[in-house]
Amino acid sequence: MVCTTIIIMLLCSVFSGTAFGASLGKVSLTAKQSTQTSISLSWKKISGADGYQVYRATSKNGTYQRVKTVTGGKTASYKNTGLTLGKTYYYKVRAYENTGTGKRYGS
């Protein structure tokens, strides 16, 4: 039997604000290993957010690639599957708000 742990580092981002200048707040991110090659991410819903973007990198200061856009502000979770055993993954989640001219993102 081979035991392997997926190590993750969670990095949160703060939404910079709405059209009215009020902040949506900080994304509070948690993670739990689902299987040997998958991780379940969840976060508290942000009032006023229309969705969330999930980013992943293999080093803390590396290039983060978007792996999922979670639409609808009511869903606050994502399961990342197909991960490589023994590799370290870092995640960022940012909220977004749909505006009349596009999207307003967190930092």
Side-chain angles (χ1 to χ4, degrees), residues 14-78:
V14 177
F15 193 91
S16 61
T18 67
F20 303 105
S23 175
L24 286 179
K26 184 176 181 178
V27 175
S28 178
L29 184 62
T30 59
K32 186 167 98 174
Q33 185 174 350
S34 299
T35 67
Q36 288 186 335
T37 58
S38 68
I39 193 86
S40 292
L41 303 173
S42 62
W43 53 90
K44 290 185 177 186
K45 295 177 211 166
I46 304 276
S47 178
D50 293 313
Y52 305 90
Q53 292 181 333
V54 181
Y55 293 83
R56 181 185 71 206
T58 54
S59 66
K60 183 177 180 179
N61 296 317
T63 302
Y64 284 80
Q65 299 292 325
R66 186 171 58 201
V67 294
K68 180 71 175 178
T69 298
V70 180
T71 57
K74 296 183 182 191
T75 301
S77 64
Y78 168 64

Side-chain angles (χ1 to χ4, degrees), residues 76-90:
S77 64
Y78 168 64
K79 184 175 183 179
N80 194 184
T81 61
L83 301 174
T84 302
L85 295 173
K87 201 173 228 183
T88 301
Y89 294 94
Y90 298 81

Side-chain angles (χ1 to χ4, degrees), residues 4-16:
T4 304
T5 301
I6 298 172
I7 301 170
I8 59 164
M9 177 68 168
L10 303 175
L11 302 171
C12 300
S13 64
V14 177
F15 193 91
S16 61

